[in-house]
């Protein structure tokens, strides 16, 4: 864990570490005023000592560094490649600033949300199973058009989900922590969720994990949904009570299409893995071809902000940075 030290001028930062060769190769040709080194935050950086690294970019596919966060005690800023950051501030303490990836995964995760909705509503999973069995048989399905869709979460991912749903001729309701108006109209507060759920055919969850959102969709919320409603989660698995969701789906009353679930990985013998009306994707919303160029673009913007003495985007905690 890092500890507070003397204030740091963002413009004084000089060395940035990148955790993978692919990201290193994408970023380095565009950086002239930082020294870039390879470092997975587990071993030693290539070409410098740990204490020389000013800005560290965390690995995307590995969390091994979390076992010993003390390696970051001299780092001024930790840049995540994920939108979520639950548990990381507690590891870092007050000395290291933390920034999330913001919009990097918004498009990809919104695509997964839309894909899961369409697959579940149009029974595409059934078509795939029939094909695997060598069966060609037509069937009748639900539609996304004219469905009542509630999106809970209006951050980068939630906004991207809404933008992709709007052309599908749905009745769209948006819910956030507090009620407000924005450029798209009314946003309902989370306190209204109990009134909204009975009028929801498709519930899309695009929430970060916090004390306020953990277990938000439990037995009571699920019971409020109408029969045959679809629960789609592309935020964090622990936002939904998996036991309660399993009971509803396995009974056949509700359906689910999930890119995130609690626990991860979901055991192969878990009831949701084989339940009729359940589609499970293995947390792949952000794993797509748009990730690398978007992560490169964000990093270049972050480094430019630091060089100008400005706060980076999506700052979770400022650490020692003078901003």
């Amino acid at each position: 864990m890092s500890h507070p030290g003397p204030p740091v001028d963002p413009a004084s930062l000089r060395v940035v570490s990148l955790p993978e060769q692919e990201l290193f190769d994408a970023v380095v040709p565009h950086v002239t005023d930082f020294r870039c080194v390879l470092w997975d935050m587990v071993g030693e950086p290539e070409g410098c000592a740990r204490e020389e690294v000013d800005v560290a970019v965390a690995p995307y596919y590995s969390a091994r560094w979390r076992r010993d966060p003390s390696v970051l005690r001299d780092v001024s800023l930790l840049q995540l490649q994920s939108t979520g950051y639950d548990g990381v501030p507690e590891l870092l303490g007050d000395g290291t600033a933390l920034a999330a990836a913001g919009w990097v995964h918004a498009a990809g995760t919104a695509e997964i949300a839309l894909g899961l909705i369409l697959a579940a509503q149009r029974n595409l999973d059934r078509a795939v199973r029939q094909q695997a069995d060598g069966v060609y048989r037509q069937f009748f399905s639900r539609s996304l058009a004219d469905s009542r869709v509630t999106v809970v979460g209006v951050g980068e991912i939630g906004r991207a989900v809404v933008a992709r749903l709007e052309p599908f001729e749905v009745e769209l309701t948006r819910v956030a922590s507090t009620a407000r108006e924005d450029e798209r109209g009314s946003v309902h507060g989370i306190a209204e969720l109990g009134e909204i759920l009975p009028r929801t055919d498709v519930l899309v969850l695009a929430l970060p994990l916090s004390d306020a959102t953990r277990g938000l969709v439990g037995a009571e919320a699920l019971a409020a949904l109408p029969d045959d409603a679809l629960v789609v989660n592309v935020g964090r698995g622990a936002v939904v009570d998996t036991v309660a969701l399993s009971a509803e789906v396995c009974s056949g009353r509700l359906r689910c299409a999930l890119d995130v679930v609690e626990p991860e990985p979901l055991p192969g013998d878990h009831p949701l893995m084989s339940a009729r009306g359940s589609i499970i994707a293995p947390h792949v919303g952000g794993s797509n071809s748009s990730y690398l160029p978007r992560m490169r673009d964000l990093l270049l913007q972050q480094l430019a902000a630091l060089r100008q003495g400005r706060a980076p985007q999506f700052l979770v905690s400022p650490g020692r940075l003078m901003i």
Side-chain angles (χ1 to χ4, degrees):
M1 178 179 292
S2 60
H3 298 281
V8 175
D9 180 358
S12 70
L13 305 182
R14 290 288 181 270
V15 180
V16 56
S17 69
L18 301 158
E20 301 102 9
Q21 187 69 53
E22 189 176 26
L23 184 60
F24 184 93
D25 293 341
V27 170
V28 168
H30 305 281
V31 175
T32 58
D33 47 3
F34 281 85
R35 177 186 176 194
C36 297
V37 299
L38 269 174
W39 186 32
D40 63 2
M41 293 170 30
V42 176
E44 294 296 324
E46 293 188 12
C48 75
R50 288 180 182 176
E51 55 268 22
E52 295 179 70
V53 175
D54 299 312
V55 179
V57 180
Y60 183 47
Y61 294 106
S62 172
R64 289 188 303 155
W65 65 272
R66 293 190 182 214
R67 300 172 190 169
D68 183 17
S70 67
V71 299
L72 299 172
R73 62 182 176 271
D74 297 307
V75 170
S76 295
L77 171 65
L78 175 64
Q79 171 67 59
L80 298 179
Q81 296 192 66
S82 60
T83 305
Y85 53 84
D86 42 289
V88 179
E90 293 82 358
L91 290 175
L92 295 180
D94 299 326
T96 301
L98 175 65
W103 45 258
V104 168
H105 302 292
T109 304
E111 288 176 355
I112 282 288
L114 188 60
L116 288 171
I117 294 168
L118 289 170
Q121 292 297 95
R122 300 307 305 269
N123 297 122
L124 298 184
D125 55 328
R126 176 177 174 178
V128 171
R129 288 194 299 270
Q130 286 186 177
Q131 179 182 350
D133 294 337
V135 174
Y136 185 95
R137 182 182 299 127
Q138 294 180 326
F139 50 79
F140 185 83
S141 72
R142 307 162 190 83
S143 174
L144 176 55
D146 302 327
S147 295
R148 300 168 297 179
V149 182
T150 297
V151 177
V152 185
V154 294
E156 296 287 340
I157 291 173
R159 287 195 295 271
V161 171
V162 166
R164 284 155 179 78
L165 282 170
E166 286 177 334
F168 281 83
E169 302 175 34
V170 301
E171 181 183 321
L172 189 60
T173 301
R174 296 178 299 148
V175 179
S177 55
T178 56
R180 55 184 179 272
E181 297 287 326
D182 64 13
E183 69 282 357
R184 279 194 163 96
S186 298
V187 178
H188 297 267
I190 202 73
E192 302 173 67
L193 197 56
E195 303 169 12
I196 294 169
L197 290 177
R199 306 191 303 271
T200 297
D201 300 313
V202 179
L203 175 64
V204 184
L205 302 165
L207 291 165
L209 185 61
S210 66
D211 291 341
T213 63
R214 186 180 296 275
L216 175 68
V217 181
E220 183 178 354
L222 293 168
L225 288 166
D227 291 352
D228 201 42
L230 174 68
V231 178
V232 179
N233 192 2
V234 294
R236 282 292 184 261
V239 170
V240 179
D241 182 331
T242 306
V243 173
L245 179 63
S246 298
E248 292 278 17
V249 173
C250 291
S251 74
R253 198 186 78 78
L254 297 181
R255 297 171 295 127
C256 69
L258 311 173
D259 186 46
V260 293
V261 69
E262 177 68 24
E264 288 186 11
L266 197 65
D269 59 355
H270 193 280
L272 285 180
M273 293 292 274
S274 57
R276 186 182 181 88
S278 172
I279 299 176
I280 306 293
H283 202 157
V284 293
S287 302
N288 60 81
S289 58
S290 72
Y291 145 70
L292 183 63
R294 288 174 183 242
M295 191 66 221
R296 174 203 62 204
D297 291 348
L298 176 64
L299 284 175
L300 295 178
Q301 292 176 23
Q302 301 289 65
L303 294 178
L306 293 173
R307 179 58 66 241
Q308 296 164 17
R310 296 186 288 109
Q313 300 174 72
F314 313 115
L315 191 65
V316 177
S317 54
R320 302 183 300 269
L321 293 181
M322 297 167 56
I323 51 177

